[in-house]
Amino acid sequence: MNGKWLLALPTALLAGGILLVACGGGGKDSEPHRHGNETWEVKASLTEMPSFLENYSGRTKRLYTIVDKYQDIMKSVNCYCGCMDYEDAHSSLFRCYVADQGEDGVTWTDHSSTCGICTEELAKIEEWSKDGKTPEQIHQLIEDNFNPNA
């Protein structure tokens, strides 16, 4: 009878592991992982930075740290890098930094980390905000400065 248990144990462990992965357990999503052509990483909030930023410059890292502060403006402006034309289109500049935000946390994306237009738009939002521009004025400035059809 002990021999049967020795054979059943690896099977049970394998089945448990498969079930854990299938149900999303084990925290795998909190590790950086590829999602299409982007790297995604889940964190608790907009103030907890993704580990994939370790691979990028100080400017890029700093821009990610201000997403929380400027998220309302970012959600109201378009991004003009072409991402809004993707099959899985971005809905705003905010989506270039954050793929999803909900009760389970924030899914950061590295899309903007390799895109000069995304980073420049956020840098300008910060600059214009510090200059006292209203969100409406910033929206118009983004259109005037980044929309190729303007």
Side-chain angles (χ1 to χ4, degrees):
M1 184 166 219
N2 284 342
K4 290 181 184 177
W5 282 107
L6 288 175
L7 291 174
L9 184 59
T11 303
L13 289 173
L14 179 62
I18 291 171
L19 183 61
L20 184 64
V21 170
C23 292
K28 182 178 187 224
D29 284 345
S30 65
E31 296 297 319
H33 61 279
R34 295 300 291 172
H35 185 87
N37 63 353
E38 299 177 357
T39 296
W40 286 12
E41 186 174 346
V42 178
K43 292 295 182 182
S45 71
L46 287 172
T47 59
E48 186 179 353
M49 295 296 101
S51 65
F52 63 71
L53 285 178
E54 294 169 10
N55 301 320
Y56 295 99
S57 71
R59 180 177 191 252
T60 298
K61 291 175 187 176
R62 192 188 66 70
L63 287 171
Y64 271 79
T65 68
I66 66 172
V67 167
D68 185 34
K69 184 174 183 176
Y70 297 108
Q71 66 176 304
D72 291 337
I73 296 172
M74 293 172 69
K75 289 175 182 176
S76 74
V77 299
N78 293 330
C79 179
Y80 289 103
C81 75
C83 64
M84 296 185 86
D85 297 326
Y86 290 172
E87 184 175 319
D88 182 20
H90 291 187
S91 57
S92 67
L93 177 61
F94 184 75
R95 170 55 184 84
C96 299
Y97 290 82
V98 176
D100 189 40
Q101 183 179 20
E103 291 180 13
D104 296 337
V106 172
T107 303
W108 291 98
T109 173
D110 72 341
H111 171 84
S112 64
S113 65
T114 60
C115 179
I117 293 172
C118 298
T119 56
E120 191 58 27
E121 281 193 37
L122 181 52
K124 286 300 199 180
I125 287 172
E126 178 184 39
E127 177 186 325
W128 292 327
S129 294
K130 287 180 177 181
D131 288 346
K133 303 285 189 227
T134 66
E136 293 78 19
Q137 290 172 319
I138 292 171
H139 185 275
Q140 188 59 52
L141 285 165
I142 292 289
E143 289 298 308
D144 294 345
N145 287 277
F146 292 94
N147 184 346
N149 299 317

